[in-house]
Amino acid sequence: MLKRSQMMDINNIKKILPHRYPMLLVDRITHLEPNQNIKAYKNITINEEVFLGHFPKQPIYPGVMIVEGMAQAGGVLAFVSTWGDDIKVAEDKIVYFMTIDKVKFRIPVTPGDKLEYHLNVIKHKGSVWQLEGKAFVDEKMVAEAELKAMVADRKKD
């Protein structure tokens, strides 16, 4: 089980999340308390593929990507809370969005920002997790949302 202050690097994140470039939106876990909360971040660079079209003359990181990043961090929290260090289980699991509520975008996120995700468990029952997510840049809240997700068995190929 991850210790409260233990960090998780990109290699371990990739063992849990199925996402890959350009949709892997968590670079590092900086804090994880199982069944309670998680803190993670993504460094936003001009090299993000999304900036080719959003927007070339004034690049702004899309809000939908901020929410997806929060959801991915929440997926790591749900996985570690349920299976701890048993990373092998992740190969057979996937996290699905169920609802996204109370979304607010407050400040634009731009290249050069360190986008921090803070998620707290509101409720957990069985395989369903309800999370409160907030995103920050330089300690200023840039977005918030309530997310509900379900951990399910992945379909076999």
Side-chain angles (χ1 to χ4, degrees), residues 38-109:
I38 190 169
K39 292 182 181 177
Y41 69 81
K42 171 166 181 41
N43 290 308
I44 307 299
T45 73
I46 194 62
N47 297 322
E48 308 283 339
E49 192 171 356
V50 70
F51 292 132
L52 293 173
H54 199 271
F55 302 100
K57 293 184 180 181
Q58 186 176 348
I60 297 173
Y61 195 65
V64 69
M65 302 292 272
I66 296 170
V67 174
E68 173 65 22
M70 285 192 276
Q72 289 180 19
V76 172
L77 174 60
F79 179 85
V80 171
S81 295
T82 306
W83 290 284
D85 287 339
D86 193 358
I87 301 295
K88 197 82 173 138
V89 174
E91 294 173 7
D92 298 323
K93 301 294 179 187
I94 192 161
V95 180
Y96 292 115
F97 257 146
M98 294 173 66
T99 63
I100 307 168
D101 295 309
K102 301 179 183 176
V103 179
K104 293 183 183 173
F105 301 106
R106 302 182 178 280
I107 300 170
V109 176

